[in-house]
Amino acid sequence: MLVQMMTGLVVCVAVLAVASAYGVLHKRRSGRMRVRGRDDGKRLRAAELGGELGERATLVQFSSAFCAPCRATRRVLGEVALMVPGVTHVEIDAEAHLDLVRELEILKTPTVLVLDADGRVVRRATGQPRKADVIAALGEAV
């Protein structure tokens, strides 16, 4: 009986440790702007975005209807677009543009793409990005 209780306790502790490690890793990676090799050279045009490209850069946000972090991301990207001249924010409903979502391998919302003036993807973030990270990513696009 005691051996079974100890085994159960060890299993519970192990599960909690693994779940905690995953949570910490997920939180650290979520919202970080990073370059991904498969985006390299991919260009988006105004027709695909449903809005005009920015003169200097474009912040493209893929959202869904029931995504709570999407609202906060919309606010952050809107503020940055107003702050930085020549930058436009375009929000795309992921559910209504499934072909584009598949092509760009958008796996969750919000996903933010930073495009340069020619529409090339230079940065990508999954999850809610921090304003400072978005501004820093724009430095590469501009």
Side-chain angles (χ1 to χ4, degrees), residues 26-44:
H26 179 71
K27 183 170 175 69
R28 289 190 70 205
R29 294 192 67 195
S30 183
R32 288 182 53 204
M33 293 291 201
R34 56 191 169 275
V35 177
R36 291 180 17 157
R38 64 178 164 254
D39 287 336
D40 194 30
K42 175 63 183 156
R43 273 178 106 161
L44 297 175

Side-chain angles (χ1 to χ4, degrees), residues 16 20 39-40 69 72 74 88 94 109 124-125 127:
L16 286 173
S20 296
D39 287 336
D40 194 30
R74 180 183 311 121
T88 302
T109 57
R124 169 187 286 245

Side-chain angles (χ1 to χ4, degrees), residues 70-86:
C70 292
R71 290 187 289 276
T73 300
R74 180 183 311 121
R75 181 185 50 77
V76 167
L77 298 181
E79 289 173 4
V80 171
L82 289 174
M83 229 169 56
V84 182

Side-chain angles (χ1 to χ4, degrees), residues 48-59:
E48 293 172 296
L49 298 176
E52 290 299 315
L53 290 171
E55 187 178 301
R56 297 174 67 199
T58 306
L59 301 170

Side-chain angles (χ1 to χ4, degrees), residues 18-130:
V18 170
S20 296
Y22 174 78
V24 168
L25 178 65
H26 179 71
K27 183 170 175 69
R28 289 190 70 205
R29 294 192 67 195
S30 183
R32 288 182 53 204
M33 293 291 201
R34 56 191 169 275
V35 177
R36 291 180 17 157
R38 64 178 164 254
D39 287 336
D40 194 30
K42 175 63 183 156
R43 273 178 106 161
L44 297 175
R45 309 233 183 270
E48 293 172 296
L49 298 176
E52 290 299 315
L53 290 171
E55 187 178 301
R56 297 174 67 199
T58 306
L59 301 170
V60 179
Q61 175 185 347
F62 284 87
S63 299
S64 55
F66 299 102
C67 167
C70 292
R71 290 187 289 276
T73 300
R74 180 183 311 121
R75 181 185 50 77
V76 167
L77 298 181
E79 289 173 4
V80 171
L82 289 174
M83 229 169 56
V84 182
V87 174
T88 302
H89 171 223
V90 176
E91 188 171 1
I92 297 174
D93 179 9
E95 296 170 38
H97 296 86
L98 290 177
D99 290 340
L100 187 57
V101 165
R102 287 184 191 109
E103 181 183 338
L104 295 171
E105 298 180 24
I106 306 296
L107 301 177
K108 70 182 237 181
T109 57
T111 293
V112 177
L113 304 177
V114 179
L115 311 180
D116 64 11
D118 295 326
R120 277 194 274 331
V121 178
V122 295
R123 291 279 183 177
R124 169 187 286 245
T126 305
Q128 182 182 340
R130 296 178 318 148

